[in-house]
């Protein structure tokens, strides 16, 4: 497997650079750090630099140098689905869905868990930890188990039963907490400073975030480097959005694509701090939020990552928009019925936002649009569907079949 081209950590605010150690922010200005790479090597070698399948195909562009530290459950390499019928329903020329529900724990989080847990090994940590509304917790726990590390997972009490079961099965320690999710993240972020565990949270760790960058590389390879005009990414604190935008930027710098696509940040209307700031042209004002069906997007205070998202949007002609819970559930049903993709509410927020933007004529209907569908529907809780037929013997079954086939006629 190929060596990593990662070179250093660089402060996104003041530009100070640091060697590739476990460091979460800039010493000088407390700014967030991003990883830099020897992109000239990518430019020279082109796609031939990439070998193998799945996430670690992009190992040269990831910061885990020693192959022995890399961990995998088969993440990445998810399908890019061309959806002409759904495109017709939404009124857009071409719609591609990057279906990340196909990852091992059913969400986009597996991309960042692979590099987070790889980094924990790289820096000699035995204990990983994260605060989660369910997806990050089950993903980090699964990857930690796979790597032979411990996991201390804090899960939100409103987390759905399938996610709780998943975490209970995989975590070495699972704690259910009550109270405000955003507050717990802030308190937990402070505990990180005591180095009791490796930071697998979304707020600061550049190594963790980096795994999600592979979304951009995969979309590029899957389209033969003829990228969509617009990419819609979900945003809670912004890790997925920032990482994807960074990936496109690297591809452009290495000359593999002419320019990065236009990025849309998609939020739940009940957790839309970034969208509000974008619309008003102001800094982000943290929100106290309640429940949204898009559980994975329930962040009222996106912190410094939120500022980074805004900066990328403003630099790159981007757009931020949101969708109400009922629109998200409607998009979920539409996607399942029209294309057979069963995604969770968090996973389809991008689709609901895209539908709204097209309906309100904020996007060109002649465009090719890619939406990241970040979660399977199999981790969601829902009441059982109402019964619509009972068969108890050959006659009753025959009657049901005849009724339904006549109706389908
Ligand atoms: C966490 C999550 C996201 C996005 O969160 P970011 O912190 O903004 O990256 C999107 N979709 C799902 C399913 C998630 O679990
Ligand atoms: Zn700095």
């Amino acid at each position: 497997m190929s060596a990593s081209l990662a070179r250093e950590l660089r402060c996104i605010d003041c530009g100070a650079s640091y060697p590739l150690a476990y460091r979460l922010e800039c010493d000088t200005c407390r700014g967030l750090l991003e990883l830099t790479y020897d992109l000239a090597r990518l430019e020279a070698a082109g796609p031939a630099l990439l070998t193998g399948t799945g996430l670690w195909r992009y190992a040269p562009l990831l910061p885990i140098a020693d192959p022995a530290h890399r961990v995998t459950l088969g993440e990445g390499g998810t399908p890019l689905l061309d959806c002409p019928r759904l495109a017709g329903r939404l009124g857009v020329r071409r719609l591609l869905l990057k279906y990340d529900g196909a990852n091992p724990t059913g969400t986009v989080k597996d991309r960042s868990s692979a590099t987070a847990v790889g980094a924990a090994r790289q820096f000699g940590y035995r204990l990983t930890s994260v605060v989660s509304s369910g997806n990050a917790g089950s993903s980090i726990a699964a990857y930690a188990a796979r790597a032979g590390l411990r996991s201390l997972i804090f899960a939100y009490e409103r987390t759905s039963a399938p996610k709780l079961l998943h975490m209970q099965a995989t975590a070495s320690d699972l704690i259910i907490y009550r109270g405000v999710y955003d507050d717990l993240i802030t308190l937990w972020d402070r505990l990180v400073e005591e180095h009791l565990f490796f930071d697998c949270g979304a707020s600061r760790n550049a190594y963790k975030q980096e795994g999600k960058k592979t979304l951009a590389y995969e979309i590029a390879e899957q389209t033969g480097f003829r990228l969509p005009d617009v990419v819609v990414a979900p945003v809670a604190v912004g890790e997925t959005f920032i990482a994807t935008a960074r990936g496109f930027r690297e591809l452009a710098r290495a000359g593999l694509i002419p320019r990065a696509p236009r990025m849309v940040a998609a939020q739940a209307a009940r957790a839309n701090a970034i969208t509000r700031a974008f619309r008003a042209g102001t800094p982000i004002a943290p929100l106290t939020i309640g429940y949204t069906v898009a559980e994975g997007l329930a962040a009222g205070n996106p912190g410094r990552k939120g500022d980074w998202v805004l900066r990328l949007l403003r630099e790159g002609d981007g757009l931020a928009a949101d969708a109400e819970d009922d629109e998200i559930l409607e998009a979920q049903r539409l996607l399942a019925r029209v294309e057979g993709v069963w995604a969770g509410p968090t996973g389809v927020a991008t689709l609901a936002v895209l539908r709204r933007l097209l309906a309100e004529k904020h996007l060109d209907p002649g465009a090719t649009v890619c939406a990241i569908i970040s979660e399977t529907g199999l981790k969601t809780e829902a009441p059982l569907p109402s019964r619509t037929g009972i068969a108890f013997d050959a006659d009753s079954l025959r009657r049901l079949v005849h009724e339904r086939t006549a109706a389908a006629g």
Side-chain angles (χ1 to χ4, degrees):
M1 243 195 270
S2 24
S4 171
L5 301 179
R7 287 298 170 259
E8 55 187 24
L9 289 163
R10 192 167 53 204
C11 173
I12 65 161
D13 290 329
C14 78
S17 58
Y18 299 94
L20 293 173
Y22 176 45
R23 177 188 294 276
L24 299 172
E25 56 185 36
C26 177
D27 274 353
T28 318
C29 77
R30 300 205 57 212
L32 293 173
L33 302 174
E34 67 179 335
L35 287 147
T36 65
Y37 294 82
D38 182 1
L39 293 176
R41 292 271 298 282
L42 177 60
E43 182 163 17
L49 193 68
L50 311 171
T51 55
T53 57
L55 178 123
W56 294 108
R57 172 175 175 75
Y58 306 98
L61 288 315
L62 295 172
I64 311 300
D66 183 347
H69 293 143
R70 295 172 193 162
V71 49
T72 186
L73 285 167
E75 60 294 327
T78 59
L80 185 70
L81 304 170
D82 208 332
C83 296
R85 273 174 303 123
L86 189 56
R89 296 285 285 268
L90 265 58
V92 67
R93 193 179 68 81
R94 187 159 181 229
L95 175 62
L96 302 168
L97 298 182
K98 181 63 173 162
Y99 182 53
D100 250 32
N103 278 306
T105 78
T107 76
V108 67
K109 294 284 193 287
D110 293 340
R111 295 180 187 273
S112 43
S113 296
T115 53
V117 172
R121 273 177 160 173
Q122 174 163 284
F123 298 117
Y125 279 76
R126 304 273 319 143
L127 177 61
T128 60
S129 183
V130 70
V131 175
S132 170
S133 65
N135 286 338
S138 40
S139 184
I140 290 293
Y143 279 80
R146 174 79 171 143
L149 305 187
R150 286 177 57 211
S151 56
L152 171 58
I153 309 294
F154 291 90
Y156 185 38
E157 66 176 333
R158 295 240 8 210
T159 301
S160 72
K163 292 176 191 172
L164 282 171
L165 280 171
H166 196 169
M167 284 186 275
Q168 198 173 37
T170 49
S172 52
D173 277 288
L174 172 63
I175 295 169
I176 310 295
Y177 66 85
R178 305 215 155 82
V180 180
Y181 183 45
D182 282 300
D183 292 350
L184 193 89
I185 291 183
T186 308
L187 297 172
W188 182 92
D189 272 346
R190 274 185 223 149
L191 272 177
V192 168
E193 310 301 332
E194 298 179 26
H195 295 279
L196 302 167
F197 50 75
F198 189 75
D199 178 3
C200 290
S203 317
R204 293 184 293 175
N205 188 338
Y207 296 88
K208 173 181 179 260
Q209 172 175 283
E210 204 68 348
K212 288 181 176 170
K213 188 177 78 180
T214 54
L215 275 167
Y217 282 88
E218 287 183 13
I219 292 168
E221 286 206 285
Q222 287 170 316
T223 55
F225 298 92
R226 281 185 295 274
L227 285 182
D229 305 301
V230 178
V231 172
V232 189
V235 176
V237 299
E239 201 178 56
T240 310
F241 181 94
I242 293 163
T244 307
R246 271 172 45 71
F248 287 133
R249 202 172 53 182
E250 286 176 3
L251 282 157
R253 288 207 180 130
L256 294 182
I257 57 171
R259 82 190 80 78
R262 188 175 188 207
M263 296 281 298
V264 176
Q267 295 202 287
R270 292 184 182 178
N272 65 352
I274 294 172
T275 307
R276 284 176 191 229
F278 179 82
R279 284 188 189 131
T282 58
I284 293 170
L287 301 170
T288 302
I289 60 169
Y291 185 76
T292 165
V293 292
E295 290 174 355
L297 301 188
N301 183 5
R304 285 178 277 169
K305 285 236 165 124
D307 302 334
W308 193 354
V309 171
L310 270 185
R311 188 191 305 179
L312 290 168
L313 288 172
R314 288 169 180 156
E315 280 172 9
D317 184 32
L319 203 57
D322 56 5
E324 299 293 343
D325 275 13
D326 58 351
E327 294 175 296
I328 291 172
L329 294 174
E330 173 61 28
Q332 183 186 33
R333 287 188 290 269
L334 187 68
L335 176 60
R337 194 56 67 81
V338 176
E339 298 289 353
V341 176
W342 179 229
T346 304
V348 299
T350 49
L351 192 61
V353 165
L354 174 61
R355 197 176 185 203
R356 207 193 227 198
L357 286 172
L358 287 164
E360 293 172 357
K361 312 228 179 305
H362 291 305
L363 282 179
D364 174 10
T368 294
V369 181
C370 172
I372 297 168
I373 305 295
S374 55
E375 175 189 64
T376 174
L378 300 175
K379 299 184 86 170
T380 317
E381 205 155 31
L384 281 177
S386 58
R387 284 179 300 171
T388 55
I390 301 173
F392 48 86
D393 61 9
D395 280 348
S396 60
L397 178 60
R398 176 179 305 274
R399 205 157 48 238
L400 277 177
V401 170
H402 278 280
E403 266 170 37
R404 294 308 150 102
T405 47

